[in-house]
Amino acid sequence: MLNFILRRLGTFIPTFIGVSIVSFLFIRLLPGDPILLMAGERGMTDERYAQLMTQFGFDQPLLSQYWDYLKGILQGDLGTSFKTKRPVWDEFFTLFPATLELSLCAIVFAVTLGLPAGIIAAVKRGKWPDQALMSTALVGYSMPIFWWALLLIILFSGMLGWTPVSGRISLMYFFPTDTGFMLIDSLRSGQEGAFASAVQHLILPTIVLGTIPLAVIARQTRSAMLEVLSEDYVRTARAKGLGPLRVNGLHALRNALIPVITVIGLSVGTLMAGAILTETIFSWPGIGKWMVEGISSRDYTAVQGGLLMIAVIVMVVNLVVDILYGLINPKIRK
């Protein structure tokens, strides 16, 4: 198992370098001059412009700029935001708990509904539950995030008034956010109604962000279960008189989990991409909204650091998924 993990870790270095190059070049391909954007309406003299170009290293060749950027990363320095003048590292980890909280709720929502839906559809293959569930999953997968979010806001926030439109908690509550996770901090605050307010603000963003992963997990679970249910050992288990719950839940599901876990792991990247739209629509103060603002203001260091950190998180999740493969099916380790 150790050799298996080390082999997976060996892919980190070239992947990390590739991601650092992409994150470095991405923002520089966008039109606009960050120095002029920093000046705003006040304008800037040629001398001041040349001074800032030298200060931020923009007068150096791209290769030299990238080398300085890479050295900073290896030293744990992601640079300083042009816009806020704060270290990018601090900004990222200040906002990341909000994105992580939303993503965890979305993936729990997706797995909790998607896994049973896929199992039921496989067991009831060709019958109305299968057709209804898979049709719903197809609609959910095809739904554009921004359109789905606006529909839910109009229905549940505008017409019914059940949920808030934006933010993480009502403005009437004030308490220290030590952990950055609003559910935990609101519960620890002891203020009456604070936790309920945090939950209400999470409902719509969670549904919007979790809908596509839910649909993918449901369809993949159905496909994997159908393949496993046709195997000889499943028919043998049924012939021995084992109940449907034991056959489907223990024998079939365990062997069908590998492709499902793959989908769940890949959904992390989908969640990070979807968080950009979701957080922007719901004014959720997380990494996605921060990245959009950074791109708009040509905040090179913030966007570079954000892209790199998100990529590292996705790489770590994929490593965990690979390790789970080895635990579920020892043959994969070889």
Side-chain angles (χ1 to χ4, degrees):
M1 188 67 183
L2 180 60
N3 290 334
F4 175 74
I5 296 174
L6 290 176
R7 288 198 303 271
R8 292 296 182 268
L9 284 173
T11 63
F12 258 56
I13 296 176
T15 306
F16 179 83
I17 293 175
V19 168
S20 69
I21 294 173
V22 171
S23 65
F24 174 80
L25 293 176
F26 169 74
I27 190 68
R28 285 165 172 78
L29 295 176
L30 298 177
D33 190 326
I35 302 298
L36 294 179
L37 287 171
M38 290 169 62
E41 297 179 356
R42 297 170 298 176
M44 181 177 297
T45 63
D46 293 340
E47 292 79 10
R48 180 58 177 164
Y49 181 85
Q51 181 184 356
L52 289 176
M53 287 288 287
T54 303
Q55 178 182 337
F56 291 107
F58 293 149
D59 59 342
Q60 301 294 321
L62 275 180
L63 189 59
S64 298
Q65 292 183 45
Y66 172 72
W67 178 243
D68 292 337
Y69 168 60
L70 187 59
K71 285 192 297 184
I73 292 172
L74 296 177
Q75 295 170 2
D77 180 15
L78 295 177
T80 302
S81 169
F82 296 166
K83 184 177 179 181
T84 63
K85 313 303 181 187
R86 292 181 57 198
V88 174
W89 184 272
D90 293 345
E91 282 203 329
F92 183 89
F93 283 102
T94 298
L95 299 172
F96 182 65
T99 298
L100 181 59
E101 183 177 50
L102 177 58
S103 299
L104 288 175
C105 290
I107 200 66
V108 168
F109 166 75
V111 172
T112 302
L113 296 183
L115 204 61
I119 295 172
I120 293 171
V123 173
K124 301 293 184 180
R125 179 182 183 181
K127 300 180 180 178
W128 72 264
D130 177 24
Q131 296 173 357
L133 288 170
M134 289 302 101
S135 297
T136 304
L138 181 60
V139 171
Y141 182 78
S142 306
M143 194 87 70
I145 287 180
F146 68 91
W147 188 70
W148 180 225
L150 293 176
L151 281 181
L152 292 181
I153 289 173
I154 292 171
L155 176 60
F156 292 102
S157 300
M159 298 175 62
L160 299 177
W162 290 354
T163 58
V165 177
S166 61
R168 297 184 72 190
I169 196 167
S170 173
L171 296 176
M172 65 183 292
Y173 299 105
F174 298 95
F175 47 83
T177 54
D178 299 326
T179 66
F181 295 93
M182 192 58 69
L183 291 178
I184 297 175
D185 291 331
S186 61
L187 195 60
R188 293 173 57 189
S189 71
Q191 297 185 25
E192 185 178 356
F195 180 74
S197 177
V199 171
Q200 288 176 342
H201 282 77
L202 257 173
I203 292 173
L204 290 189
T206 295
I207 293 174
V208 170
L209 190 57
T211 297
I212 291 179
L214 188 159
V216 174
I217 290 170
R219 294 178 66 84
Q220 184 60 58
T221 302
R222 177 185 182 274
S223 177
M225 282 290 293
L226 286 177
E227 184 176 349
V228 172
L229 288 173
S230 63
E231 296 290 341
D232 292 339
Y233 65 87
V234 174
R235 288 195 290 268
T236 302
R238 288 172 178 162
K240 289 181 177 180
L242 297 180
L245 184 62
R246 187 175 178 84
V247 173
N248 298 327
L250 180 63
H251 295 280
L253 181 59
R254 182 177 179 181
N255 289 281
L257 275 179
I258 290 179
V260 176
I261 290 175
T262 303
V263 169
I264 295 173
L266 293 175
S267 295
V268 173
T270 304
L271 290 175
M272 291 297 176
I276 295 176
L277 279 174
T278 305
E279 290 181 2
T280 302
I281 293 171
F282 290 98
S283 295
W284 191 267
I287 297 301
K289 188 170 180 288
W290 174 63
M291 292 281 287
V292 170
E293 293 173 352
I295 293 173
S296 301
S297 61
R298 303 300 185 273
D299 194 343
Y300 281 14
T301 51
V303 176
Q304 287 173 176
L307 284 173
L308 187 67
M309 292 303 299
I310 290 172
V312 169
I313 291 168
V314 173
M315 289 163 59
V316 170
V317 170
N318 286 331
L319 174 64
V320 173
V321 169
D322 286 344
I323 293 173
L324 288 176
Y325 287 170
L327 293 175
I328 294 173
N329 188 351
K331 293 180 180 179
I332 294 179
R333 304 176 199 171
K334 302 179 181 180

